[in-house]
Amino acid sequence: MNKLQLPLWLIKLTHFEYWTWWMFYIPLLPYWLYQAARTRSLTFFTNADPCIDYGGFFGESKIDILKQIPDDFLPTYFFVKKETSLAIILEKLKENKLEFPIICKPNVGERGSQVEKIIDQFALEKYLQNLQEDFIIQEFITFEIELGILYYRYPNQQKGQVSSITRKEFLSVTGDGKSSIEALMQANTRARFQLETMRLRLGEKIHEVIPAGEKRLLEPIGNHCRGTKFLDNNFLINEKLNQVFDKIALPIEGFHYGRFDMKVKSIEDLYEGKNIRIMELNGVSSEPGHIYDPKNTVWNAYRDLARHWKIIADISIQQQQKGIMPIETKIIWQVAREHFA
């Protein structure tokens, strides 16, 4: 446990998966400008998914997107207006036959911000005190396999393709019978980035010693910025999977590009199109998450990201040929200013 460790700032510098978003994307700016010139629009990405606000660039409503996904693939969920009382929410839970634990998430948000697994009524009350905006309550799905699957379809085609599969490995530690959770986290590079968060969340429990061989889940939310490891599972892509996602995506009118964040009971069920629960669908801002696999190189990541930007640009061109134009730059600029403010 006392072996020499690199400082976190140096790990951030040498491992691109930990770079800030602007540091990672700046080298791709010339390529984005090339696609903008090719499509004759700085906001070419906004007409790829007219069924989503701004194509899913920023500020889209999650509930509006969920309503468009076939019910067979959704967990139980309902929408909650801000300042709704705890009593009313508890009644809605009963109406929807939902029991704790549940997932709560802001209706507008990204990168897992304020998405929480709520284990009881006390935790729900605390969540309501901290969140002053509309949110969604979802059934907590116990399937162990969580995937981010990116799918696209050109407007002039009736069939689409899966282009990226990311398997998510949640932040956890395995006990040795003598080390505390804190010590186990300090010995793991990925966990070290989440140490301060876990100290606040666990309090004195962070000093608990886990029995040897026992695996303890620390973070149930599958976001990279919350310690989840993204693993490249593109080897799972085949024509059978494409057909499954055609079945899911084609009923969503106006949808051509996005990532389905989902849980599935097994890979066999995935290919059969059953026991699939989609928690979220993200539009053109979706990244092919497999690029953040720790074994990947930054050059391969840029190559794959550029390929997906070209797909979005090609979709945009076909949309323009159909008379569906990108949103004006000044509107997107205002949305971006409000978002980052």
Side-chain angles (χ1 to χ4, degrees), residues 217-232:
L217 177 67
L218 298 177
E219 176 55 75
I221 307 301
N223 291 87
H224 189 270
C225 61
R226 295 173 69 159
T228 300
K229 183 188 290 187
F230 283 9
L231 301 175
D232 184 338

Side-chain angles (χ1 to χ4, degrees), residues 313-332:
D314 290 341
I315 291 172
S316 178
I317 290 171
Q318 291 186 18
Q319 290 285 75
Q320 291 181 53
Q321 291 170 349
K322 295 170 64 177
I324 302 172
M325 306 306 292
I327 295 172
E328 294 180 31
T329 302
K330 64 180 181 180
I331 296 176
I332 293 301

Side-chain angles (χ1 to χ4, degrees), residues 32 36 39 41-50 54-58 257 283-285 309 312-313 315-316 320 326-327 332:
W32 175 76
T39 58
S41 173
L42 289 172
T43 58
F44 64 88
F45 45 86
T46 60
N47 69 342
D49 291 329
Y54 312 112
F57 175 58
F58 279 133
Y257 179 99
V284 292
S285 63
W309 283 9
I312 295 173
I315 291 172
S316 178
Q320 291 181 53
I327 295 172
I332 293 301

Side-chain angles (χ1 to χ4, degrees), residues 58-69:
F58 279 133
E60 66 271 22
S61 166
K62 297 183 188 299
I63 193 70
D64 289 345
I65 299 172
L66 286 174
K67 288 177 180 178
Q68 299 180 71
I69 299 172

Side-chain angles (χ1 to χ4, degrees), residues 55-92:
F57 175 58
F58 279 133
E60 66 271 22
S61 166
K62 297 183 188 299
I63 193 70
D64 289 345
I65 299 172
L66 286 174
K67 288 177 180 178
Q68 299 180 71
I69 299 172
D71 290 340
D72 291 348
F73 302 104
L74 291 174
T76 302
Y77 70 93
F78 62 89
F79 179 74
V80 182
K81 292 287 291 183
K82 66 178 180 179
E83 300 180 357
T84 301
S85 69
L86 177 62
I88 291 176
I89 294 173
L90 292 175
E91 187 61 35
K92 290 273 287 182

Side-chain angles (χ1 to χ4, degrees), residues 101 117 139-145 263-265 277:
K117 178 183 177 183
E139 171 189 7
F140 177 71
I141 304 299
T142 57
F143 299 157
E144 292 187 359
I145 300 174
K263 286 189 175 183
V264 63
K265 193 171 184 180
R277 295 294 180 268

Side-chain angles (χ1 to χ4, degrees), residues 219-270:
E219 176 55 75
I221 307 301
N223 291 87
H224 189 270
C225 61
R226 295 173 69 159
T228 300
K229 183 188 290 187
F230 283 9
L231 301 175
D232 184 338
N233 269 216
N234 284 348
F235 60 85
L236 295 174
I237 298 174
N238 58 28
E239 185 54 34
K240 194 169 185 178
L241 190 63
N242 290 337
Q243 293 173 7
V244 169
F245 277 86
D246 281 339
K247 182 179 179 181
I248 295 172
L250 285 174
I252 307 174
E253 187 175 352
F255 174 73
H256 300 101
Y257 179 99
R259 188 187 67 238
F260 295 87
D261 292 332
M262 53 185 284
K263 286 189 175 183
V264 63
K265 193 171 184 180
S266 69
I267 299 302
E268 291 74 20
D269 282 352
L270 176 66

